Amino acid sequence: MAGYLTTHVLDTARGCPAEGLRIDLYRITGAERTHLTTLTTNADGRTDTQILPADAFQTGTYELVFHAGAYLDATGTPPEEPRFLDEVPIRFGMSEAAHYHVPLLLSPFGYSTYRGS
């Protein structure tokens, strides 16, 4: 089985998928943080392609950075200065070749994540 990485972002305050949210993926090696890709969520709150496809998959430590502040600004969420949530980093490990799904449940003042399926 080949490994790969996906996500799904839901805007829990508005009760809908988070369309247009930018996501950056980094690989973490020791103190080094290497940018791998940038994707944007579609109307379903997912990316059109796998964030890390099977042909690029390696086990290791990764970080997804969800650009929540820019998304909240674009949806007309009343701003505060600075925003309580701007960039939401989630650092996680992938230890085997499997499907890793890292969803984000987002609101202006909180978020949660888990290893999904």
Side-chain angles (χ1 to χ4, degrees), residues 4 14 23 32 42 45 62 67 88 90 94 105:
Y4 60 99
R14 295 173 56 222
I23 304 167
E32 189 173 323
N42 60 25
Y62 291 84
H67 294 270
V88 175
I90 300 173
M94 297 192 290
L105 305 177

Side-chain angles (χ1 to χ4, degrees), residues 28-71:
I28 310 299
T29 307
E32 189 173 323
R33 185 175 180 243
T34 304
H35 182 261
L36 300 179
T37 192
T38 299
L39 297 165
T40 303
T41 56
N42 60 25
D44 192 38
R46 301 173 190 274
T47 57
D48 289 331
T49 61
Q50 296 167 350
I51 298 172
L52 188 63
D55 63 355
F57 183 87
Q58 295 178 25
T59 59
T61 302
Y62 291 84
E63 184 176 82
L64 286 168
V65 177
F66 296 87
H67 294 270
Y71 165 79

Side-chain angles (χ1 to χ4, degrees), residues 3-27:
Y4 60 99
L5 173 64
T6 60
T7 192
H8 189 196
V9 185
L10 297 174
D11 182 330
T12 59
R14 295 173 56 222
C16 63
E19 180 179 7
L21 191 143
R22 186 171 56 114
I23 304 167
D24 287 310
L25 174 66
Y26 296 88
R27 180 170 171 81

